C-alpha cells in the first residue's frame, strides 16, 4: 500500500512532466503561450496515441526512451516547419528590422520575440488586442459581414478585462480542481491507491496495462493478444488509456494498480479541467470570470468525469470524452465562430482539430461520435443566431443566413438518421441490446436533472441554479443557445437510456450498449460552460442590484451613471466565487467520492459487488513464489482471479471473462479439466500452453447486473489425486496439476 505522500508526489510529477512535454510540443509548432499551456494535456495524449499506433509498423519497445525520441522529433519538426514558414512569409512581406542575437536565440528556442508578459496578456485567455484598446466588437464599426459590430457580437457587452485576475485565477482554479479530484479518489479508495476497481472491465484494462509494461508492445491491434489464449485474428481495441497509464508507470515507477488509478485521476483532475477552460476561453473570450469559474467547476458534475470512472470503469470512453473539449475548441477557432483569428492561426487550429479528433477516435470511437453531435449543434446554433441577429437590420441582411440555416437543418435531418441506421445495421452481429436495471421512472429521472442529481447521485441545487442562470442568459443572447440545445438533447437521451426498455430505442442505442454512462458525458462538456456563464450572470446581477441600492431614489428612469469602484467589483466577484466554491465543490466532492466508493473501497470486502477482496489480492501477490514466470495458471473465469496478471505478473488462462471460449483449447479445459478420467487426454492441451497450476476460490463475482458464473469443469473435487494443494489464503487455493507429471 503506497503512502498518500508518495501518491501525491506521483501525481505532481506526472502533471509537471506531461504539462512541460505538451507545452514544448505546441510551442515548437508556433502555438501561443496560452494555447500551449492549456492544450498541453491533449497534446500529450495525442503523442502517446501516435506512439502506440506507430508500433503497428515499426518494432520498438514502448517506454520513456521511445516516447522521448518521438517527442524530440515532434519538437524538431515543428521548429523546422516554423522556420520555413516564417522565411516564406518574410519573402512576400516587407523585411523586418534586424533582430538582436538574443532575440534570434529566443525565437530559435520557441520563445516569442514579443515581451512575454504582453504575449501572455494578449493571447493566454482570449485577449487579441493590446492592453488598453477595445476589441473589434466594441467599436460599433462595420465588420466583414457588412453588419454593425454590435450585431455580430451577439449582444454580449464589452467588459473590462483584468489580466492579473485571469492569469492568477485560472491556474488556481485548475489547482483546486486537481486537489478536489485527488481528495475524491482518495476517499473512494479509502486511502489505498493500490485497490483495484471491483468491476468486470477492470480485469481487461489492468491486465492490458501490465501487458504493455512487460512486453513493450502498445499497439491497439495486439493489446488483448495473450499467448495462452491466442485469438483467431488480431482485433483493434482502443488503447490510448492503457498507453497513457503505462507511461505514468514508467515515469513514476509505481505498480500497475496504482498506475491505473493515477491515470484515471489525471483524466479527471488535469485533462478535463484544462479542456473546460479551453472551451470557455474560445466560446466566451471576453468573460474572464467565466474562464476562472470553468476551472473551478470542472469536476463538479456527476455526468463527467465521474460517471464513466465508476460504473464499469469505462476508462477508454472517459479518455475519449476528456479530449472532446479540446477538439471542439479547435474546431470552433478554425471556423471563426466566436472570435476573429488570422488565417495562419486558423490553419494551426485546424491541424489541432484533426489531431485531437483522431486521438479521441483512437481512445474510443464513442467519444468521437459525441464530438460530431456537439459540433453539429454548435454549427446549427451559430447559423440560427446569425440569422436572428441579421433580421434586426432587415430581410435583405437576414435571408442569406436564414437560407443557410434551413439548408443545414434539411441536410442534417436527411443524413443523420441514414448514417445512424447504417451504423446500427453494421453492429447487428457485434452488439446486442442490453436490458440494464431501471432504478427510477422517466419522470423521476427528469426531476432529478432539475436539482442535478441524475442516477440518484448527491443533489447539487446550486449547480442547477448556475446552469439555469447560464442557460437563460444564453437563450436570451442567443449567441450561445447551442449550449442549451446540446445539454437538453443529451439529457433527454440519458433519461431515456436510464428509464426505458422500449425495443425500438434499445435497438437504436446499441451503439453505446444502451447504458447511460457512455452518453451522459456530453451534458458536462457543454454544462460546465453554461455553469461558468451562470457565475458571470450572478456576479453581474449582484453588481446591478448593489448599484441600484446604492443610488436608490436618485434615478427614476435611468441606470446610475457612476461606475462601481474596483474594490466593489472585486468584492462581488470574490463573494460569488466563494459562494460557488462553498455550495458546490466540497459538497460535490463528498458525493462523487461516495459514488466511486461503490465500485472501489466500499465493496472491496462485500459479499455482493466485490471482485477481489483485500485478502484475495494479498494471496495473488504471493503467486510468484510458487509459479515460474513462463508457467500459466488455470483459473476460474467467474471470479476476480484474472487480475493475478495485473497484481503479480503471473499469467492466467482466462485474463478476462469473455475468453472462456476464445479458443477450442480454453473451451475444452473449462468443461472437462477436473472431470473424473478426463485429465489424461487433456495433458497435451496443458503442455501446449505450459499450464501447471489450477486456482480455485470460495466465491464468484456477483453485482447488480451480473449473476454468479460457475464453471464446474474447473472445480477440484476433494481427494482428487491429480491435483495437489500447494498454498491457500483469502479463500483461494492453488493446486499443482500433478496428474500429468507421470507421463
Amino acid at each position: 500500500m503506497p503512502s498518500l505522500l508518495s501518491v501525491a508526489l506521483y501525481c505532481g510529477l506526472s502533471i509537471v512532466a506531461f504539462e512541460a512535454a505538451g507545452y514544448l510540443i505546441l510551442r515548437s509548432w508556433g502555438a501561443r503561450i496560452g494555447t500551449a499551456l492549456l492544450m498541453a494535456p491533449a497534446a500529450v495524449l495525442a503523442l502517446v496515441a501516435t506512439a502506440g499506433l506507430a508500433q503497428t509498423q515499426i518494432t520498438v519497445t514502448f517506454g520513456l526512451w521511445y516516447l522521448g525520441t518521438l517527442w524530440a522529433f515532434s519538437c524538431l519538426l515543428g521548429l523546422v516547419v516554423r522556420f520555413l514558414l516564417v522565411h516564406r512569409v518574410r519573402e512576400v512581406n516587407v523585411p523586418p528590422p534586424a533582430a538582436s542575437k538574443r532575440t534570434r536565440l529566443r525565437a530559435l528556442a520557441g520563445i516569442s520575440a514579443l515581451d512575454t508578459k504582453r504575449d501572455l496578456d494578449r493571447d493566454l485567455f482570449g485577449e487579441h488586442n493590446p492592453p488598453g484598446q477595445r476589441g473589434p466588437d466594441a467599436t460599433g464599426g462595420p465588420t466583414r459581414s457588412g453588419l454593425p459590430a454590435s450585431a455580430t457580437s451577439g449582444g454580449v457587452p464589452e467588459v473590462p478585462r483584468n489580466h492579473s485576475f485571469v492569469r492568477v485565477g485560472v491556474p488556481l482554479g485548475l489547482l483546486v480542481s486537481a486537489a478536489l479530484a485527488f481528495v475524491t479518489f482518495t476517499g473512494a479508495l479509502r486511502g489505498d491507491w493500490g485497490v483495484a476497481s471491483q468491476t468486470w472491465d477492470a480485469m481487461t484494462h489492468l491486465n492490458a496495462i501490465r501487458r504493455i509494461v512487460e512486453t513493450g508492445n502498445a499497439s491497439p491491434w495486439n493489446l488483448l493478444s495473450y499467448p495462452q489464449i491466442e485469438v483467431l485474428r488480431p482485433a483493434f481495441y482502443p488503447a490510448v488509456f492503457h498507453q497513457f497509464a503505462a507511461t505514468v508507470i514508467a515515469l513514476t515507477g509505481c505498480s500497475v494498480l496504482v498506475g491505473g488509478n493515477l491515470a484515471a485521476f489525471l483524466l479527471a483532475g488535469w485533462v478535463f479541467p484544462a479542456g473546460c477552460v479551453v472551451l470557455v476561453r474560445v466560446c466566451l473570450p471576453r468573460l474572464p470570470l467565466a474562464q476562472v469559474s470553468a476551472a473551478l467547476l470542472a469536476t463538479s458534475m456527476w455526468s463527467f468525469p465521474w460517471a464513466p470512472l465508476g460504473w464499469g470503469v469505462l476508462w477508454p470512453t472517459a479518455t475519449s470524452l476528456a479530449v472532446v473539449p479540446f477538439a471542439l475548441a479547435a474546431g470552433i477557432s478554425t471556423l471563426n465562430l466566436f472570435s476573429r483569428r488570422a488565417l495562419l492561426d486558423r490553419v494551426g487550429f485546424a491541424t489541432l482539430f484533426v489531431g485531437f479528433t483522431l486521438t479521441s477516435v483512437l481512445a474510443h470511437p464513442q467519444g468521437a461520435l459525441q464530438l460530431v453531435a456537439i459540433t453539429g449543434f454548435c454549427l446549427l446554433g451559430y447559423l440560427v443566431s446569425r440569422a436572428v441577429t441579421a433580421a434586426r437590420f432587415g430581410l435583405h441582411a437576414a435571408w442569406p443566413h436564414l437560407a443557410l440555416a434551413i439548408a443545414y437543418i434539411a441536410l442534417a435531418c436527411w443524413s443523420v438518421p441514414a448514417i445512424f441506421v447504417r451504423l446500427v445495421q453494421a453492429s447487428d452481429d457485434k452488439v446486442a441490446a442490453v436490458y440494464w436495471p431501471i432504478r427510477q421512472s422517466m419522470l423521476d429521472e427528469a426531476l432529478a436533472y432539475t436539482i442535478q442529481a441524475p442516477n440518484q447521485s448527491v443533489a447539487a441545487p446550486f449547480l442547477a441554479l448556475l446552469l439555469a442562470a447560464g442557460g437563460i442568459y444564453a437563450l436570451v443572447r442567443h449567441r450561445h443557445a447551442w449550449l442549451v440545445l446540446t445539454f437538453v438533447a443529451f439529457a433527454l437521451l440519458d433519461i431515456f437510456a436510464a428509464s426505458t426498455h422500449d425495443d425500438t430505442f434499445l435497438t437504436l442505442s446499441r451503439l453505446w450498449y444502451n447504458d447511460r454512462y457512455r452518453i451522459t458525458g456530453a451534458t458536462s462538456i457543454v454544462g460546465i460552460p453554461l455553469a461558468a456563464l451562470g457565475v458571470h450572470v450572478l456576479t453581474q446581477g449582484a453588481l446591478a442590484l448593489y448599484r441600484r441600492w446604492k443610488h436608490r431614489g436618485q434615478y427614476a428612469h435611468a441606470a446610475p451613471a457612476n461606475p462601481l469602484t474596483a474594490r466593489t467589483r472585486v468584492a462581488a466577484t470574490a463573494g460569488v466565487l466563494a459562494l460557488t466554491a462553498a455550495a458546490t465543490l466540497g459538497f460535490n466532492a463528498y458525493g462523487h467520492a461516495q459514488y466511486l466508493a461503490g465500485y472501489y473501497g466500499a465493496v472491496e470486502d462485500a459479499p455482493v459487488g466485490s471482485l477481489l477482496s483485500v485478502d484475495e489480492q494479498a494471496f495473488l501477490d504471493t503467486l510468484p513464489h510458487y509459479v515460474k514466470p513462463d508457467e500459466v495458471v488455470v483459473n476460474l473465469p467467474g471470479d476476480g482471479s484474472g487480475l493475478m496478471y495485473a497484481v503479480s505478473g503471473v499469467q492466467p488462462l482466462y485474463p478476462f471473462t469473455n475468453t472462456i471460449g476464445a479458443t477450442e483449447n480454453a473451451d475444452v479445459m473449462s468443461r472437462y479439466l477436473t472431470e473424473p478420467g478426463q485429465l489424461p487426454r487433456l495433458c497435451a492441451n496443458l503442455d501446449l500452453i505450459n499450464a501447471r497450476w489450477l486456482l480455485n476460490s470460495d466465491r464468484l463475482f456477483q453485482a447488480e447486473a451480473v449473476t454468479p458464473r460457475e464453471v464446474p469443469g474447473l472445480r477440484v473435487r476433494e481427494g482428487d489425486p491429480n491435483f495437489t494443494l500447494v498454498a491457500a489464503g483469502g479463500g483461494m487455493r492453488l493446486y499443482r496439476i500433478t496428474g500429468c507429471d507421470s507421463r
Side-chain angles (χ1 to χ4, degrees):
M1 173 181 174
S3 65
L4 285 181
L5 178 59
S6 61
V7 172
L9 291 177
Y10 292 158
C11 295
L13 174 63
S14 301
I15 291 176
V16 171
F18 291 147
E19 184 72 26
Y23 170 80
L24 291 176
I25 289 177
L26 293 174
R27 285 292 284 164
S28 65
W29 282 87
R32 300 186 184 277
I33 292 178
T35 302
L37 284 174
L38 292 175
M39 290 192 170
V44 169
L45 290 176
L47 176 70
V48 171
T50 303
L53 192 63
Q55 285 195 304
T56 60
Q57 301 296 328
I58 60 177
T59 303
V60 64
T61 301
F62 188 91
L64 291 183
W65 283 107
Y66 171 50
L67 291 171
T69 302
L70 187 61
W71 170 82
F73 175 77
S74 301
C75 293
L76 182 61
L77 181 63
L79 291 175
V80 171
V81 171
R82 281 185 61 193
F83 175 79
L84 296 177
L85 185 61
V86 171
H87 182 70
R88 177 60 180 167
V89 171
R90 287 180 177 178
E91 285 182 350
V92 299
N93 292 293
V94 178
S100 64
K101 181 178 180 180
R102 178 173 178 270
T103 302
R104 291 196 299 270
L105 289 175
R106 285 165 59 86
L108 183 61
I111 303 175
S112 174
L114 298 174
D115 179 73
T116 303
K117 183 176 182 302
R118 284 184 55 201
D119 192 15
L120 201 65
D121 284 341
R122 186 181 65 180
D123 301 307
L124 183 51
F125 301 110
E127 171 64 72
H128 300 284
N129 302 288
Q133 296 186 16
R134 294 168 63 84
D137 289 345
T139 60
T143 62
R144 294 179 302 174
S145 62
L147 299 175
S150 59
T152 61
S153 66
V156 180
E158 178 72 9
V159 295
R161 299 177 179 86
N162 189 322
H163 303 288
S164 298
F165 167 72
V166 175
R167 270 200 317 272
V168 175
V170 168
L172 283 180
L174 292 175
L175 184 62
V176 169
S177 289
L180 286 173
F182 182 83
V183 171
T184 301
F185 268 95
T186 301
L189 298 171
R190 299 296 192 259
D192 183 6
W193 281 67
V195 170
S197 171
Q198 306 298 307
T199 60
W200 271 138
D201 289 2
M203 284 194 288
T204 302
H205 299 316
L206 292 173
N207 286 338
I209 295 171
R210 181 83 183 209
R211 182 156 179 78
I212 293 177
V213 172
E214 284 199 346
T215 65
N217 189 342
S219 170
W221 276 272
N222 296 317
L223 190 68
L224 303 183
S225 178
Y226 293 83
Q228 67 274 27
I229 53 155
E230 283 294 345
V231 293
L232 298 179
R233 56 186 174 86
F236 174 85
Y237 191 86
V240 176
F241 174 83
H242 313 90
Q243 297 156 356
F244 182 53
T247 305
V248 172
I249 294 171
L251 181 66
T252 62
C254 62
S255 66
V256 172
L257 270 61
V258 174
N261 292 329
L262 280 177
F265 156 76
L266 291 174
L267 292 179
W270 174 57
V271 179
F272 184 65
C276 290
V277 176
V278 169
L279 184 58
V280 172
R281 175 200 175 199
V282 169
C283 295
L284 308 169
R286 294 177 296 151
L287 301 181
L289 179 57
Q291 298 165 30
V292 177
S293 303
L296 282 172
L297 296 171
T299 60
S300 61
M301 296 183 69
W302 169 84
S303 55
F304 195 82
W306 306 115
L309 295 182
W311 187 88
V313 284
L314 306 176
W315 286 334
T317 301
T319 306
S320 181
L321 288 174
V323 181
V324 167
F326 298 96
L328 182 61
I332 292 174
S333 300
T334 302
L335 298 176
N336 259 4
L337 297 188
F338 305 119
S339 61
R340 289 166 174 75
R341 300 181 185 274
L343 178 60
L344 287 179
D345 286 341
R346 295 174 67 184
V347 172
F349 277 110
T351 305
L352 290 177
F353 174 73
V354 174
F356 294 159
T357 301
L358 292 177
T359 302
S360 181
V361 171
L362 291 173
H364 203 290
Q366 289 175 350
L369 288 177
Q370 296 189 39
L371 171 63
V372 172
I374 297 174
T375 304
F377 281 119
C378 179
L379 289 175
L380 174 62
Y382 174 77
L383 292 174
V384 173
S385 176
R386 294 279 296 188
V388 172
T389 303
R392 301 175 183 174
F393 303 92
L395 185 60
H396 66 284
W399 75 264
H401 306 283
L402 186 61
L404 188 59
I406 294 175
Y408 178 85
I409 295 173
L411 178 63
C413 292
W414 172 78
S415 61
V416 171
I419 295 175
F420 194 80
V421 170
R422 288 290 183 89
L423 290 175
V424 171
Q425 291 174 347
S427 65
D428 280 346
D429 58 340
K430 300 177 181 179
V431 182
V434 181
Y435 292 84
W436 299 106
I438 295 178
R439 297 182 178 181
Q440 298 184 108
S441 66
M442 191 174 297
L443 178 60
D444 290 337
E445 288 286 352
L447 292 176
Y449 260 96
T450 62
I451 57 174
Q452 272 304 291
N455 196 46
Q456 299 178 345
S457 58
V458 177
F462 189 78
L463 182 61
L465 174 64
L466 294 178
L467 288 170
I472 293 173
Y473 184 88
L475 290 175
V476 171
R477 296 294 186 180
H478 66 73
R479 191 186 192 194
H480 299 292
W482 66 273
L483 290 170
V484 182
L485 180 64
T486 308
F487 182 88
V488 172
F490 275 94
L492 290 175
L493 197 60
D494 177 43
I495 292 171
F496 272 96
S499 59
T500 183
H501 281 166
D502 180 75
D503 291 336
T504 302
F505 178 81
L506 290 178
T507 301
L508 295 176
S509 60
R510 282 180 303 161
L511 293 179
W512 55 86
Y513 303 98
N514 311 113
D515 69 73
R516 69 184 313 174
Y517 303 92
R518 288 177 168 87
I519 59 173
T520 187
T523 60
S524 281
I525 293 174
V526 297
I528 295 301
L530 281 176
L533 186 58
V535 174
H536 169 79
V537 171
L538 290 185
T539 304
Q540 296 299 316
L543 289 173
L545 290 176
Y546 174 77
R547 183 166 55 241
R548 291 185 179 277
W549 174 82
K550 184 177 181 180
H551 301 283
R552 59 190 181 281
Q554 299 180 20
Y555 303 91
H557 303 289
N562 298 332
L564 296 174
T565 63
R567 180 177 299 178
T568 302
R569 292 181 177 275
V570 170
T573 301
V576 173
L577 287 178
L579 179 62
T580 301
T584 60
L585 301 184
F587 187 67
N588 284 5
Y590 169 78
H592 300 325
Q594 291 297 107
Y595 162 73
L596 288 183
Y599 302 95
Y600 281 92
V603 296
E604 192 176 19
D605 290 314
V608 177
S610 173
L611 181 68
L612 196 67
S613 68
V614 175
D615 294 336
E616 290 171 342
Q617 183 172 332
F619 179 74
L620 292 182
D621 204 27
T622 65
L623 291 184
H625 297 300
Y626 311 101
V627 183
K628 296 179 181 179
D630 61 338
E631 293 180 335
V632 172
V633 176
V634 180
N635 61 307
L636 297 178
D639 60 9
S641 59
L643 278 170
M644 70 173 70
Y645 184 51
V647 173
S648 62
V650 174
Q651 291 278 1
L653 177 61
Y654 305 106
F656 36 91
T657 57
N658 58 352
T659 54
I660 188 170
T663 63
E664 182 180 356
N665 188 38
D667 183 60
V668 167
M669 281 192 288
S670 68
R671 294 172 182 267
Y672 306 111
L673 182 62
T674 60
E675 292 294 323
Q678 297 295 326
L679 182 60
R681 73 182 186 91
L682 294 179
C683 289
N685 300 70
L686 296 172
D687 292 339
L688 184 65
I689 58 175
N690 197 25
R692 297 289 180 264
W693 304 86
L694 175 63
L695 185 69
N696 279 187
S697 62
D698 290 336
R699 66 184 186 87
L700 300 173
F701 179 63
Q702 180 180 357
E704 180 183 27
V706 180
T707 57
R709 185 178 186 180
E710 185 60 82
V711 184
L714 296 178
R715 287 288 187 183
V716 177
R717 293 168 174 79
E718 186 176 356
D720 192 332
N722 294 316
F723 303 93
T724 303
L725 180 64
V726 175
M732 289 185 167
R733 296 172 299 281
L734 179 66
Y735 296 91
R736 175 79 180 183
I737 305 177
T738 55
C740 295
D741 292 345
S742 59
R743 291 183 307 116

